[in-house]
Amino acid sequence: MNDTLYLAWRYLVYHRIKSAILVLAIALIVLIPAVLQVLVRQGQQQLTSRAVTTPLLLGAKGSPLELTLNSLYYGSGVPEMIKYGDCSDVAYTENVDAIPLHVRFRSQSAPIVGTSLEYFDFRGLSVQEGALLKRLGDCVVGANVARQRGLSAGDSVISSPESALGIADEYPLKMRITGVLASSATPDDDAIFVDLKTAWVIEGLGHGHFDLSDERAAENVLSRDGNKITANASVRQYQEVTDENIRSFHFHGRRSTFPITAVLALPEDRRSMSMLLGDYQDNDTVQLVRPVEVVEELLQTVFAIQNLVLTALVLTGAVTLLLVVVVFVLSLKQRAREIETMAKIGGSRGRILGVLATEVGFVIVLGVGIASGLTWLTTIFAPQIVQQYLMG
Amino acid sequence: MSKTRTIFAAVLCFLAVAGCTKVNWSKTELKRARAKPIVIAVNYPLAYFAERLVGTMADVRCIVPVGEVASQWNPNEEDVSELQSADLILLNGAGFASWIESVTLPPSKLSVTTRGFSNDDFIAQTGAVVHTHGPKGEADDANLVSETWLDIRLATKQIDVIREEMLKLFPQSRDQIQTNYDDLLADLEKLDGETDRVVKSLAANWIASRGCYEYFAKRYSLDLKSYDLRADEAVNSQRWKLVDQDVKERNVKAMLWHEQPNKEIQDRFDQLQVKVIVFCPLLKVPEDGDFLLIMNESIHNIAATSE
């Protein structure tokens, strides 16, 4: 038995390039559908688990998919904004909690998520280093953001201007990092979290500047009418919240009209959920969606595409397998003299067939082994791969 | 074996029923159980009202340290952490504690005790500066008078809100809270009646050292004008001129002071025949006494003047 294995192995090693190509072909036939399956399953799991734990989502009328992708996975498409008053309406509903979300701005590629402290409890996010938000201008960064940018508590990040020309109302804000979140293998790892009020400061609805009744502000004042001062837009605004200037930060306008992208609505039981869904059924301006239904719809599309891809891969694999068989058959013809020599030196027919079959077995076992190993590695890193390349 | 199966089946049934009635994502389930809930108020009167309602059921605190003026105090990061760890944060509203705008607090734990007020209940500050930037709206400046508790009827509305919040925190102690509520309201009603009687007996026009008495004046229909005067600082001649003129024009007979003014000021008002009455607006956490005691003391000071 050992000599059969030895001869087969030596043959493969001698023809290493041909053997490697065959092993690779077998590995790819197995690997590609398997990896695809693992990644799709992981993607499905990640999408579904986040959607399942998010009962209801309130957002502007429009695409439920865009609303869900922005609110749950911080996708780059920003849905139409709704008013903060809509969040208060949900919060005032009996047995329903509401968490506002403002996912519009970014710091480099990381989404800046404006929300309330309840969000961290709701998602089960804990701080690995430092502390949660304390004041205006503070932020906590996700584990991946901290690792990729080498950030830790005490450092700072700057919000990126939304428009390339920088002519919009928003101002880049330098934010103090108060903490780094522990990894949760969710889109939260790639986000930067701020207080909703800080998001409004970035939006230009709140700001800090020196006292306009001060003499230094004379050049910025358009008019003074009794106790009413009208300033021009050139008033120098602070781009960082510090101990010295924090008291000067203020907001213009009514809070209830300030924008948010969505509200996470958390009913305490199914009855409250049904009642809330009923309340918003005929609303003209906002929609209340069940993320799990939106994601299931998306996944059905993904599965349909996956099935097409798998069919194509099975066909490709079958063709490749046929080619491998052809290679083996041709190889047998080429090796006629070698087989004849083996017979002449006393090799029985069974032993010769055994050597040839072992060669094929080695190729198949190696190919499948490599494919299995890589599939196993993919399974281990699938959460990160899906996070990084599919949902990022 | 059959017993084990029965238990297993019972557990499964229980889980199934539990799964049908309760949704997993309920945030209530995430709230950590604590031996004694922590209730933090942003000023002393609210802390007093809350404590009267729940007694020792909750750990009721005022976030402002003893001796600090609540309207001028700002929290440090430790204070913010303390607030974040509370089960309930009682806010006054009416622009009181403007620092709330610049710190991060969990909205689900915040309760604005003036939320039941009508627009007419609030009093706008006279002379408050507001600013705009071109076409943008006016800044959301705190331009309301904040000391709402000095109008006992408004304080009662605030207590209603606190009671509502306490019933959510202690649903099992409804009867006890209601009894405490009735007692507190009876005390305040008595205080209100006594104040009304004393103030009316004085039958005078008033001035005040601070704008904080506006709600008090409105409640008892006092003709009161406020000047921003400090008890320990000399008043400049221009301000004296205004006060002199006002005293003459309105025939002012009494002045409310947040604390005893220095001798120079006292002498000047004596000359003007204006009686100085120390009326503590409870902006500080008292070192001795409580809300009722201090309010009664202030009413006593007014009564002593009328005698």
Side-chain angles (χ1 to χ4, degrees):
Chain A
M1 187 64 189
N2 280 343
D3 44 342
T4 305
L5 290 174
Y6 180 76
L7 283 173
W9 179 249
R10 289 309 308 165
Y11 176 83
L12 291 176
V13 171
Y14 186 77
H15 298 282
R16 51 177 70 97
I17 292 174
K18 187 187 89 175
S19 305
I21 290 170
L22 287 171
V23 167
L24 197 65
I26 297 289
L28 287 175
I29 290 168
V30 178
L31 182 69
I32 294 174
V35 164
L36 183 71
Q37 196 78 353
V38 166
L39 292 179
V40 167
R41 288 268 174 264
Q42 182 61 41
Q44 177 201 7
Q45 197 184 323
Q46 283 195 17
L47 280 167
T48 313
S49 66
R50 204 147 164 97
V52 163
T53 52
T54 311
L56 294 170
L57 204 52
L58 185 82
K61 279 262 182 193
S63 161
L65 182 62
E66 190 175 49
L67 174 67
T68 305
L69 291 180
N70 177 267
S71 307
L72 269 60
Y73 314 104
Y74 313 135
S76 52
V78 181
E80 220 175 291
M81 306 298 255
I82 57 173
K83 292 174 184 168
Y84 183 64
D86 293 319
C87 181
S88 307
D89 289 345
V90 175
Y92 287 139
T93 312
E94 207 177 334
N95 297 329
V96 181
D97 290 321
I99 300 174
L101 281 177
H102 184 292
V103 190
R104 177 180 163 187
F105 299 109
R106 291 187 177 252
S107 168
Q108 295 178 24
S109 61
I112 296 173
V113 181
T115 187
S116 63
L117 285 177
E118 284 83 354
Y119 184 85
F120 300 98
D121 263 350
F122 169 64
R123 290 276 183 228
L125 300 172
S126 59
V127 174
Q128 190 177 38
E129 183 207 335
L132 282 178
L133 311 166
K134 295 283 180 208
R135 68 176 194 199
L136 207 62
D138 281 354
C139 68
V140 286
V141 296
N144 290 346
V145 177
R147 186 174 40 78
Q148 286 159 7
R149 295 204 212 166
L151 298 169
S152 56
D155 293 341
S156 55
V157 290
I158 301 175
S159 65
S160 308
E162 199 178 30
S163 61
L165 296 172
I167 52 171
D169 262 351
E170 84 267 7
Y171 287 84
L173 183 71
K174 188 175 177 186
M175 296 171 286
R176 177 181 76 158
I177 299 173
T178 56
V180 175
L181 294 174
S183 176
S184 59
T186 66
D188 296 326
D189 289 349
D190 298 297
I192 296 171
F193 294 90
V194 298
D195 189 322
L196 185 58
K197 287 179 284 190
T198 303
W200 287 334
V201 168
I202 299 171
E203 189 136 355
L205 295 165
H207 54 218
H209 52 70
F210 48 76
D211 188 356
L212 289 174
S213 54
D214 196 291
E215 283 176 6
R216 289 175 301 164
E219 63 186 51
N220 302 114
V221 172
L222 290 174
S223 68
R224 286 175 200 270
D225 179 13
N227 295 321
K228 195 169 179 178
I229 300 172
T230 304
N232 59 32
S234 67
V235 177
R236 200 173 139 257
Q237 297 175 6
Y238 301 122
Q239 293 188 345
E240 183 182 5
V241 181
T242 62
D243 291 340
E244 290 71 36
N245 68 23
I246 189 164
R247 300 289 295 161
S248 75
F249 274 80
H250 57 273
F251 294 90
H252 287 262
R254 288 177 69 85
R255 195 64 50 92
S256 59
T257 63
F258 283 7
I260 51 175
T261 48
V263 180
L264 297 175
L266 317 174
E268 282 195 2
D269 47 42
R270 294 196 190 280
R271 188 171 165 272
S272 312
M273 188 176 186
S274 306
M275 287 176 73
L276 194 67
L277 280 165
D279 287 348
Y280 284 92
Q281 202 167 19
D282 298 321
N283 197 298
D284 293 331
T285 52
V286 292
Q287 60 176 334
L288 191 63
V289 300
R290 295 188 63 189
V292 72
E293 286 174 1
V294 177
V295 167
E296 271 169 12
E297 208 173 307
L298 173 70
L299 286 174
Q300 277 171 10
T301 315
V302 171
F303 284 141
I305 295 168
Q306 186 207 6
N307 286 339
L308 275 176
V309 173
L310 274 178
T311 310
L313 284 173
V314 167
L315 286 173
T316 315
V319 171
T320 313
L321 207 59
L322 278 174
L323 285 173
V324 169
V325 172
V326 169
V327 169
F328 274 120
V329 171
L330 287 175
S331 148
L332 283 179
K333 284 196 173 172
Q334 273 187 341
R335 293 169 67 189
R337 284 185 63 200
E338 181 192 333
I339 293 166
E340 197 182 323
T341 307
M342 278 199 276
K344 280 181 179 168
I345 60 173
S348 68
R349 191 177 163 79
R351 180 58 66 92
I352 293 167
L353 277 174
V355 170
L356 294 173
T358 308
E359 285 171 14
V360 176
F362 266 135
V363 168
I364 292 171
V365 166
L366 277 173
V368 172
I370 289 170
S372 304
L374 289 174
T375 308
W376 177 70
L377 278 177
T378 310
T379 311
I380 291 172
F381 293 107
Q384 288 87 335
I385 295 169
V386 169
Q387 195 58 49
Q388 187 83 23
Y389 298 104
L390 301 183
M391 293 190 182
Chain B
M1 185 63 189
S2 65
K3 196 178 174 186
T4 316
R5 269 187 196 168
T6 312
I7 293 169
F8 184 65
V11 169
L12 275 182
C13 285
F14 171 75
L15 289 175
V17 170
C20 288
T21 52
K22 197 76 182 171
V23 187
N24 288 336
W25 52 71
S26 169
K27 202 157 69 71
T28 313
E29 290 176 13
L30 297 172
K31 287 175 185 165
R32 294 170 191 89
R34 211 200 298 264
K36 210 173 186 182
I38 297 171
V39 176
I40 299 182
V42 295
N43 60 36
Y44 171 70
L46 294 181
Y48 173 79
F49 299 149
E51 199 161 16
R52 283 287 304 264
L53 291 182
V54 293
T56 55
M57 284 189 273
D59 179 1
V60 181
R61 307 170 194 169
C62 174
I63 191 68
V64 184
V66 176
E68 296 268 358
V69 178
S71 53
Q72 292 163 10
W73 177 81
N74 285 305
N76 58 30
E77 293 199 354
E78 278 176 29
D79 299 318
V80 176
S81 298
E82 190 182 339
L83 284 160
Q84 288 177 348
S85 70
D87 294 274
L88 175 64
I89 303 166
L90 295 172
L91 306 180
N92 191 77
F96 189 89
S98 55
W99 49 262
I100 290 160
E101 289 300 313
S102 52
V103 299
T104 299
L105 298 175
S108 64
K109 292 176 183 173
L110 300 178
S111 178
V112 182
T113 56
T114 48
R115 67 178 180 229
F117 284 24
S118 66
N119 284 342
D120 291 341
D121 287 335
F122 294 105
I123 299 174
Q125 280 179 19
T126 45
V129 175
V130 291
H131 76 271
T132 60
H133 297 267
K136 286 182 184 174
E138 281 181 5
D140 190 14
D141 294 332
N143 55 0
L144 294 173
V145 180
S146 305
E147 294 76 6
T148 49
W149 59 89
L150 293 179
D151 178 341
I152 298 299
R153 285 187 302 195
L154 294 182
T156 305
K157 286 188 181 182
Q158 292 183 276
I159 292 166
D160 286 343
V161 173
I162 299 173
R163 179 183 61 160
E164 205 178 297
E165 296 296 343
M166 292 307 180
L167 288 174
K168 283 185 210 162
L169 266 186
F170 304 101
Q172 73 287 1
S173 306
R174 173 171 284 273
D175 293 346
Q176 183 61 56
I177 291 171
Q178 187 59 42
T179 307
N180 295 344
Y181 171 80
D182 292 340
D183 289 348
L184 176 59
L185 255 50
D187 286 345
L188 291 179
E189 204 175 317
K190 198 174 157 196
L191 173 73
D192 188 40
E194 180 65 6
T195 310
D196 196 37
R197 190 187 63 76
V198 167
V199 166
K200 278 181 179 152
S201 72
L202 197 60
N205 288 334
W206 304 66
I207 52 175
S209 62
R210 292 272 168 90
C212 60
Y213 301 102
E214 297 280 339
Y215 288 101
F216 181 78
K218 189 180 174 188
R219 166 68 190 98
Y220 303 107
S221 310
L222 305 184
D223 182 3
L224 179 140
K225 193 170 176 185
S226 304
Y227 293 89
D228 191 19
L229 303 179
R230 296 179 68 99
D232 53 354
E233 266 182 24
V235 180
N236 65 40
S237 57
Q238 203 174 358
R239 187 59 60 91
W240 272 128
K241 204 174 162 184
L242 288 171
V243 172
D244 286 352
Q245 196 179 343
D246 191 26
V247 167
K248 280 173 196 161
E249 281 177 6
R250 291 195 301 126
N251 191 23
V252 172
K253 293 291 177 197
M255 179 170 191
L256 296 175
W257 273 89
H258 55 285
E259 56 190 11
Q260 180 62 45
N262 64 27
K263 191 170 179 308
E264 188 196 332
I265 297 172
Q266 174 78 55
D267 290 347
R268 182 72 183 252
F269 279 108
D270 286 346
Q271 281 173 18
L272 289 169
Q273 293 183 314
V274 172
K275 288 168 182 171
V276 168
I277 302 165
V278 177
F279 191 113
C280 175
L282 289 154
L283 283 167
K284 291 181 184 176
V285 178
E287 287 178 36
D288 298 307
D290 60 26
F291 180 89
L292 270 185
L293 215 68
I294 291 166
M295 285 294 279
N296 275 317
E297 203 174 293
S298 297
I299 303 309
H300 175 77
N301 289 344
I302 298 176
T305 311
S306 66
E307 282 160 12

